Amino acid sequence: MNAGKLGPPHKRVWAQFYKAALFESDTNNVSGRIAEAETALVIRARELCDLAGDNIEEEQAVDDAMYALHALRSALKCRANAKNASEDLAA
């Protein structure tokens, strides 16, 4: 992917939130980081819909990031459910 076609850096704030969610090491903060990133992605997706011109690369990057965040959230839920189930079995 050509980073130059993603628009100027001030238009890619969503990427900073996305990376913060992916690399958050404190499990207590991950859910909040995901929510922040999703909000930034939705805002940028709406902006891209209103822009004239070819923005397909950034649109695809936004879609990919949203998909990855959904996968991360699902993985966290599965992990929490597995932990709870193992604690129930141990009790």
Side-chain angles (χ1 to χ4, degrees), residues 50-79:
D50 294 336
L51 288 177
D54 180 18
N55 301 301
I56 192 73
E57 287 192 32
E58 187 174 6
E59 289 171 2
Q60 185 62 53
V62 167
D63 287 345
D64 291 347
M66 189 64 84
Y67 178 80
L69 290 174
H70 285 266
L72 177 58
R73 177 172 279 138
S74 293
L76 292 172
K77 284 181 184 177
C78 288
R79 184 177 172 187

Side-chain angles (χ1 to χ4, degrees), residues 23-39:
F23 297 110
E24 178 58 60
S25 60
D26 185 346
T27 55
N28 295 322
N29 295 333
V30 175
S31 194
R33 295 278 190 184
I34 292 172
E36 291 171 345
E38 287 173 335
T39 299

Side-chain angles (χ1 to χ4, degrees), residues 12-28:
R12 288 184 271 136
V13 172
W14 64 265
Q16 296 169 358
F17 284 101
Y18 172 64
K19 289 176 186 174
L22 289 182
F23 297 110
E24 178 58 60
S25 60
D26 185 346
T27 55
N28 295 322

